[in-house]
Amino acid sequence: MSAMNNINRKPTCLVLAALFALLIAGTCVSQQSYAAEAAASDTTTDATNNDSTSDGETLPKEDETAATPASMRVIPYPDANRHRSVLSYLSLYQRDNEAVMLVAGERSFYGLYLPERNGKAQGGILILHDIDQHGQWPTLITPLREQLPDYGWNTLAIEMPMTPNPAIPSRSEYSATSSETTAVVEDENSDAGASESPATSATDTTANPQIKPDPIDSAGISKSDELDTTPQDLAAENNAPLPRLERLPALPQSATPVEDDVTTEPSADDRYRQQVREQIQAGINFLNQRGQLNIVVIASGESAPWAADYVQQQQRDSNNAKGITLIMVDAREHRLSRIQLNQRLEGLDIPMLDLVTADNRETPFQLQQRAGAMAHKHMRKYQQIILPTSANNSDLATRRIRGWLKTHAAGTEISSR
């Protein structure tokens, strides 16, 4: 029986021994694979360290060091595209003869000209479109330009320059180095004062502990000093003679000497103001060259201040502005105008029409202020008309302007003989 038990136990022991051997072999294989992975990672780390510099900065690669060409930056210019589309529109409908090129200073610009068509010339009309518009704007500008020639008016709508963007304000630079240095110096001074004050007080008390220091007032003067100073000493100090001056001190010289030949570069705003005046003058000259001496300037929106500025300049230069009439449609201030519109209008002695439509952007109070300022100055030639909002603005505005021109600005044809 015991022999049978020994026979049964031997296979069991053999199986357990085999399983134990397999377990040991698997452990060894896993340890070998882990060691191989560790060696590979060390190799990669060494290669990376070799590519790096001693300062810890990675050396640039050949692709990165290659000079890349600077990308072209295109600045959008919507104003030029807008005016170019007008010329394309006229060319599409075979109306190229209406476009004329004008020159103002060093810049050329276009104008849209239509002669009168009824044989009874009344004069010339210069039309100034609003900001961000063009000479063929469908509301107000085009109806005026195309319909008034039927009533004896030669019309010229000119291109207005684009308003420059506001200048970016200068920004103060923060100096962290100077502020930190000042803070460190203040800390050192405070520490030095704190360390010296206990030592000084200890020295004074240890030298003679029975002597108490004199009290010091708010001005830093002790009572012993006050007792030592007599009124005679104070009077002598106050009446001490001043030292005699051998010569008068030299006058201070200016740090920046003034040079007569130095010229400052005009700003973008100044160039814009000058450009607007030149373009308006070029339009007036164009009409005068065609025999139109009775001139009417129709300005829309933010062009009104520049039209009033031109008329005011003409009135100041020639002491009168006869032959010029001003019509403003939905007039409002321009941010680059140095003088307010109401102040300019108060000094004009010409017929003026202030037409207000439904597209007006000013408040009723501003309109009332302008009309009141004209009445206060007894400007009898000024008239403000507010159109109803229910009617068609373009047709109604054109008819009101045409009727007002017939009454207040109609001209007569002068024979050239």
Side-chain angles (χ1 to χ4, degrees), residues 5 35 57 86 102 116 125 135 138 143 149 154 156 170 197 200 205-206 216 238 261 278 333 359 385 414:
N5 292 334
E57 297 179 356
V86 174
L102 305 175
E116 55 89 16
I125 296 179
N154 298 265
L156 174 64
S170 59
S197 57
T200 305
T205 54
T206 56
I216 300 175
N238 294 334
D261 298 337
E278 291 177 353
E333 298 288 348
D359 298 331
I385 299 177
I414 301 176

Side-chain angles (χ1 to χ4, degrees), residues 10-215:
K10 288 181 179 180
T12 304
C13 294
L14 293 174
V15 172
L16 292 176
L19 293 175
F20 183 73
L22 291 174
L23 180 62
I24 293 175
T27 304
C28 294
V29 171
S30 62
Q31 290 178 353
Q32 292 176 358
S33 61
Y34 176 78
E37 292 178 359
S41 63
D42 294 340
T43 304
T44 305
T45 304
D46 295 338
T48 305
N49 294 334
N50 292 333
D51 293 339
S52 303
T53 61
S54 59
D55 297 336
E57 297 179 356
T58 304
L59 292 175
K61 298 180 180 179
E62 295 181 358
D63 298 340
E64 296 177 355
T65 56
T68 57
S71 59
M72 297 296 294
R73 183 178 180 183
V74 180
I75 300 177
Y77 191 45
D79 192 65
N81 297 333
R82 187 185 306 115
H83 296 306
R84 194 179 299 112
S85 64
V86 174
L87 301 180
S88 300
Y89 168 81
L90 296 177
S91 177
L92 180 63
Y93 288 92
Q94 299 180 358
R95 299 172 57 180
D96 298 339
N97 59 333
E98 299 180 15
V100 295
M101 295 303 298
L102 305 175
V103 179
E106 299 179 354
R107 183 177 182 273
S108 61
F109 63 100
Y110 80 90
L112 303 180
Y113 175 72
L114 283 176
E116 55 89 16
R117 293 190 290 261
N118 73 342
K120 298 179 181 179
Q122 301 293 323
I125 296 179
L126 180 66
I127 302 176
L128 309 179
H129 62 77
D130 197 359
I131 304 302
D132 298 334
Q133 294 184 2
H134 52 72
Q136 192 67 13
W137 199 255
T139 58
L140 184 69
I141 303 299
T142 297
L144 288 174
R145 192 181 78 84
E146 296 180 351
Q147 295 180 21
L148 290 179
D150 295 335
Y151 300 91
W153 294 96
N154 298 265
T155 61
L156 174 64
I158 64 172
E159 170 192 352
M160 297 296 291
M162 184 176 65
T163 306
N165 296 326
I168 301 176
S170 59
R171 182 180 300 176
S172 60
E173 296 181 359
Y174 171 74
S175 178
T177 305
S178 60
S179 61
E180 292 176 357
T181 304
T182 305
V184 170
V185 172
E186 291 179 355
D187 294 341
E188 292 178 355
N189 294 336
S190 61
D191 295 341
S195 61
E196 290 176 0
S197 57
T200 305
S201 60
T203 304
D204 295 339
T205 54
T206 56
N208 192 354
Q210 296 180 356
I211 299 175
K212 296 181 179 180
D214 294 336

Side-chain angles (χ1 to χ4, degrees), residues 100-105 107-111 126 128 156 158-159 274-290 310 314:
V100 295
M101 295 303 298
L102 305 175
V103 179
R107 183 177 182 273
S108 61
F109 63 100
Y110 80 90
L126 180 66
L128 309 179
L156 174 64
I158 64 172
E159 170 192 352
Q274 185 64 23
Q275 185 177 353
V276 171
R277 296 188 184 101
E278 291 177 353
Q279 292 190 195
I280 294 176
Q281 184 62 57
I284 298 295
N285 294 339
F286 180 85
L287 293 174
N288 292 337
Q289 292 172 2
R290 278 150 182 78
Y310 171 78
Q314 290 295 112

Side-chain angles (χ1 to χ4, degrees), residues 404-417:
W404 190 88
L405 288 174
K406 185 178 180 180
T407 305
H408 298 85
T412 57
E413 186 175 1
I414 301 176
S415 177
S416 58
R417 296 179 182 178

